[in-house]
Amino acid sequence: MASSISKRDYVKIARKYCADVLTGKIPACLFVKQACQRQEDDLKRKWSKWKYRFDAEKAARVCKFIELLRHVKGPKAGERVVLEPWQCFILTTVFGWVDDKGLRRFQRVYIEVPRGNGKSTLCSGVALYMLCADGEKGADVYSFATTRDQARIVFDDAKAMARQCPDLQAAFGLTILNNSMIVIGTNSKFLPKSADASTNDGLNTHLAIVDELHAHKTRDLFDVVKTSIGKRSQPILWAITTAGFTLDGICMEERRLVQKVLSGAIDEPSRFGIVYTIDADDDWKTEEAAQKANPNWNVSVMPKAVLANLAEAMADPAAEKNYLTKHLDVWCNADTAFFQMDKWRKCYRPDVTLDDFEGQPCIYGIDLAAKVDIAAAVRLFWRIERDKLHYYVFPEFWLPSDRIQGARNSQYRGWARQDLIRTTDGPVIDLDHIEQYLLDDMKRFDVLACAFDPWQATQMAQTLASEGAPMIELRPTVQNFSEPMKELQALVYERRLHTDGNPVLEWMASNLVAHLDAKDNVYPRKEAPENKIDGIVALIMCVNQALAQNVEDNYGSAVETVSFSDLVF
C-alpha cells in the first residue's frame, strides 16, 4: 500500500498523551487518568515476572493502517485520517500488548465518548484492519447494533473508506459488495448484524463492534456476541457508546465493571476501558467541562456548536439532559427525575461502613413485596460532622430466585451474585426469611422506630413488635410522604445524606419521579413498572420518622463540641 504520508512514532505520541493527562496539561476526568496510569504502570512491569509484554511494532501497525484510510464525511472528506493522540493511546494500548505466545492481551474493549468525537471513523478503521491486516485466517468481522440501520453505520463508513482506497483493495484482495466485504485469500468477511437477525447464534467472531451499547435494552445480543468470540485465539469485542438513559441495562453493567478495573478494585488484564466524561464536582455549565469530556475538542467537536447547545440547556430544562448525555457523557434518567443524579452520586462515602454504627440509634424503613416488586429494608443513622447533622443510609434488598431468572432487568442476576440483592427460593418472596433477618439485625442497634407499610407486612410487624421492635404503621399517602421527600431531596443537595454506594439504591433513586399537586405536595412515583423505587420508598419512611422523632433538635444540639481553649485551667 503505497503512501506519501510521513512516518509517525505512534507509541511516542501515546506516551506523551498519557504524560500530559497525568500532569494535567490535558484536562481529563478520573477515568481517563486511571486508564493512562494503568498503561504507565503496566509498562513498568518486568516481562520476566508477568505474562504480558508490550510490542511496539504491533502497537504501531494498526495506526499506520488506519492513517492510510480517508475520511468519508464532513469537511475532511477525502483527506487522509490523522489519528489524534487519544486515539493513538487507545489503539497502541489495545493492539500493543501480547502474551507469552504473542497473542493479543486485550479481548474486551469498552470506549465511552460523547457524540461527535469520531467514533464511527475509529471503529471503521479498526474493522478494516481486523478484516484485512491482522493476519487472521477466516477473520469474521461484524458490526452489531439494536437495529440493522444502526449496525450499518460503521459498516457503510468502512465500505466507503475501502472504496476510496484502491491500493487497499489491491494489496489484500478486498472485494466490496453491497451488504458485505470479503477477502477471498484469507476467507474473511465483514457484515452488519442487528439484534433481530435470526442468524446470530453459531457465529465465530474475530472482531465484534457493538455500536451504541447504551441503546441495548436487554443483554440478549451482547451475550450472544460474548459467546461468539470464545472460539478465537485473539478476538476483540469492541463496544463503543455514548452515555444513555437506561441505568439498569447491559451498558451500565459493562461501565461499572470497567470502573472497577480502572480503579484497581478487580484485576482483569484482558479488559481495556476508557470513559470520557466530566467528574462529579465539575460544573457542567462551563466550557471547561465540555472540553474535558470531548477529546476531539476543536477537531471534530466544534466549540461554537457545543456552546450553543449549552446555552439552550441552561435556558430550557428540557434540553439539559440531552446536553449532559450527548455532549458530556453523563448518564441521566429519561424521565423527569426527582433527584439530580450527579448530586446523588456525591453522597457516596466509602469510608463509612455499617459496623461504624454498632449500638447506635437507628431508624428502619420496610417496604415489602410479594412477587413483582423488590422487598426493601433501609437503616438510617446520623451523627455530627462539621457542626451539622449528617445521615447515613444502609439498604438491604430481597427478590425470589424465580423472579431474578426471568426478570427483564439484566442487572438483577449480577446484583444477586454480588449479594446486593438477597434471594429467597421459589416464585414469591419468603417473608419469614426477611423477618428472621430483621430480628437478628435489629439486635445490633438502638432501634428508635421501624416504619412499615401495612401492605404485606401486618403479620411481620406483629412478630417484630412482640420481640420489642418499635413498629410504626406508615401508609403511603401524600400526607405521610410529601414533607419527608422534600427533606430527603434537601439532604442530598446539601450533601448531608450519605450512602454506601449501593448500585441498587442508586438505580431506584434514578427511577423516582415526583408527582406535584396543586398544593405543592409531592408523592413518589415510577414511570414504568420495571423502574423499581422500593428502596427509596423505605428511605422516605425513615426520613418521616426522623422528622417525627425530631432528630435534628434532639441529637444535633446534644453533641458537645470541644476546643483547646476549653481545656485550659
Side-chain angles (χ1 to χ4, degrees):
M1 296 172 63
S3 174
S4 60
I5 62 172
S6 60
K7 185 176 181 181
R8 298 210 293 163
D9 189 335
Y10 302 102
V11 173
K12 185 177 180 180
I13 294 170
R15 292 295 301 276
K16 186 178 186 302
Y17 175 77
C18 284
D20 288 345
V21 164
L22 294 174
T23 59
K25 186 175 180 180
I26 293 177
C29 70
L30 174 64
F31 306 129
V32 175
K33 292 176 181 176
Q34 288 176 332
C36 290
Q37 189 62 61
R38 183 191 188 199
Q39 171 71 343
E40 290 299 298
D41 291 344
D42 286 349
L43 289 169
K44 294 174 184 176
R45 295 197 190 208
K46 299 293 184 183
W47 162 241
S48 59
K49 297 181 180 180
W50 200 39
K51 67 178 292 184
Y52 301 107
R53 61 182 174 85
F54 188 76
D55 187 322
E57 184 176 342
K58 288 188 175 182
R61 179 177 167 82
V62 62
C63 297
K64 293 176 183 177
F65 179 94
I66 292 176
E67 287 202 340
L68 290 169
L69 302 172
R70 296 182 182 276
H71 289 284
V72 295
K73 295 178 180 178
K76 294 186 178 181
E79 297 179 15
R80 287 203 184 275
V81 173
V82 177
L83 294 168
E84 295 300 312
W86 69 280
Q87 296 169 322
C88 291
F89 166 67
I90 291 173
L91 292 169
T92 57
T93 304
V94 171
F95 287 88
W97 286 100
V98 295
D99 62 16
D100 49 10
K101 297 179 181 178
L103 299 176
R104 210 167 10 249
R105 165 190 170 184
F106 289 111
Q107 298 190 0
R108 297 280 292 275
V109 174
Y110 179 90
I111 303 169
E112 194 175 296
V113 65
R115 177 182 292 177
N117 283 277
K119 65 183 180 67
S120 293
T121 299
L122 183 64
C123 291
S124 300
V126 169
L128 288 171
Y129 176 81
M130 294 286 279
L131 173 69
C132 299
D134 196 42
E136 182 83 1
K137 299 292 184 181
D140 291 351
V141 175
Y142 301 102
S143 61
F144 291 94
T146 54
T147 65
R148 186 167 180 82
D149 287 343
Q150 182 68 39
R152 287 198 67 101
I153 292 176
V154 171
F155 173 79
D156 287 343
D157 280 1
K159 186 170 69 172
M161 282 181 168
R163 279 181 172 157
Q164 289 195 23
C165 297
D167 48 349
L168 167 66
Q169 301 172 49
F172 296 101
L174 176 63
T175 300
I176 304 170
L177 305 174
N178 186 43
N179 296 313
S180 65
M181 285 185 277
I182 58 176
V183 179
I184 297 176
T186 59
N187 192 30
S188 301
K189 62 179 181 289
F190 179 18
L191 295 88
K193 289 277 188 178
S194 62
D196 55 6
S198 60
T199 57
N200 285 334
D201 289 325
L203 298 177
N204 185 357
T205 306
H206 181 52
L207 171 69
I209 292 179
V210 183
D211 193 18
E212 296 296 10
L213 184 58
H214 74 88
H216 292 240
K217 295 181 179 179
T218 71
R219 61 179 305 124
D220 297 343
L221 177 63
F222 195 77
D223 284 343
V224 168
V225 174
K226 284 197 299 184
T227 303
S228 76
I229 69 171
K231 303 172 187 178
R232 296 280 183 169
S233 59
Q234 52 175 1
I236 296 180
L237 196 169
W238 181 285
I240 190 162
T241 187
T242 57
F245 301 108
T246 306
L247 299 179
D248 61 343
I250 181 60
C251 190
M252 182 56 73
E253 185 176 321
E254 287 293 297
R255 188 186 206 262
R256 290 189 190 281
L257 188 54
V258 163
Q259 289 174 332
K260 290 180 179 180
V261 171
L262 292 176
S263 69
I266 61 174
D267 181 23
E268 195 166 344
S270 65
R271 185 183 291 265
F272 172 87
I274 193 165
V275 176
Y276 286 92
T277 182
I278 58 174
D279 292 307
D281 293 330
D282 289 332
D283 182 358
W284 67 269
K285 303 178 183 70
T286 64
E287 181 176 348
E288 289 76 14
Q291 186 175 354
K292 175 187 279 190
N294 291 275
N296 256 19
W297 185 256
N298 215 22
V299 178
S300 62
V301 178
M302 295 296 108
K304 184 177 180 180
V306 174
L307 295 178
N309 290 332
L310 171 58
E312 180 184 359
M314 293 172 64
D316 180 7
E320 178 180 326
K321 287 176 183 172
N322 189 64
Y323 178 81
L324 287 171
T325 55
K326 301 308 178 187
H327 293 296
L328 300 185
D329 200 71
V330 175
W331 286 75
C332 302
N333 190 285
D335 302 317
T336 304
F338 186 63
F339 296 113
Q340 293 182 23
M341 292 311 295
D342 60 329
K343 288 183 170 61
W344 176 273
R345 294 184 186 108
K346 292 177 184 178
C347 296
Y348 177 35
R349 282 285 297 275
D351 59 311
V352 180
T353 68
L354 184 61
D355 292 339
D356 295 334
F357 296 94
E358 198 83 25
Q360 297 297 307
C362 174
I363 292 174
Y364 280 75
I366 301 174
D367 187 37
L368 298 183
K371 184 176 180 180
V372 177
D373 286 331
I374 298 175
V378 169
R379 315 171 190 88
L380 185 69
F381 302 91
W382 50 90
R383 69 186 184 192
I384 292 290
E385 283 191 19
R386 297 181 296 277
D387 298 327
K388 289 187 177 181
L389 199 66
H390 288 239
Y391 295 85
Y392 308 85
V393 182
F394 297 92
E396 300 290 345
F397 301 101
W398 292 266
L399 265 179
S401 56
D402 289 3
R403 175 66 180 163
I404 288 177
Q405 295 305 316
R408 291 175 60 187
N409 186 332
S410 63
Q411 297 231 84
Y412 282 0
R413 279 166 280 175
W415 287 336
R417 285 194 297 269
Q418 299 173 64
D419 291 328
L420 296 169
I421 293 181
R422 301 175 184 274
T423 59
T424 64
D425 294 334
V428 297
I429 288 177
D430 184 348
L431 298 182
D432 291 338
H433 174 88
I434 299 176
E435 178 183 295
Q436 187 58 54
Y437 180 91
L438 292 173
L439 282 170
D440 294 337
D441 195 63
M442 287 181 179
K443 295 175 182 178
R444 301 177 56 189
F445 313 108
D446 177 16
V447 182
L448 302 184
C450 182
F452 69 97
D453 179 349
W455 171 253
Q456 294 288 341
T458 302
Q459 182 61 49
M460 179 185 295
Q462 292 174 356
T463 302
L464 294 176
S466 69
E467 295 293 328
M471 306 303 294
I472 306 294
E473 181 177 305
L474 197 66
R475 295 183 180 275
T477 64
V478 170
Q479 182 179 359
N480 287 333
F481 277 15
S482 182
E483 286 307 311
M485 278 186 69
K486 293 177 182 178
E487 178 70 11
L488 177 59
Q489 186 183 60
L491 290 172
V492 169
Y493 289 7
E494 294 170 11
R495 298 181 72 171
R496 291 200 295 126
L497 183 103
H498 308 291
T499 77
D500 61 352
N502 187 294
V504 186
L505 188 66
E506 179 183 322
W507 169 62
M508 290 179 175
S510 74
N511 292 334
L512 182 64
V513 177
H515 173 72
L516 185 69
D517 66 17
K519 297 181 180 180
D520 289 334
N521 293 311
V522 292
Y523 187 79
R525 288 188 174 179
K526 53 190 177 185
E527 286 292 292
E530 62 269 18
N531 293 348
K532 306 304 180 187
I533 60 172
D534 310 87
I536 297 298
V537 169
L539 177 55
I540 293 169
M541 292 179 177
C542 290
V543 176
N544 172 286
Q545 285 304 293
L547 294 172
Q549 298 273 342
N550 204 13
V551 167
E552 286 282 341
D553 291 336
N554 292 339
Y555 291 87
S557 61
V559 179
E560 181 182 4
T561 59
V562 180
S563 67
F564 282 114
S565 61
D566 297 321
L567 304 178
V568 176
F569 289 102

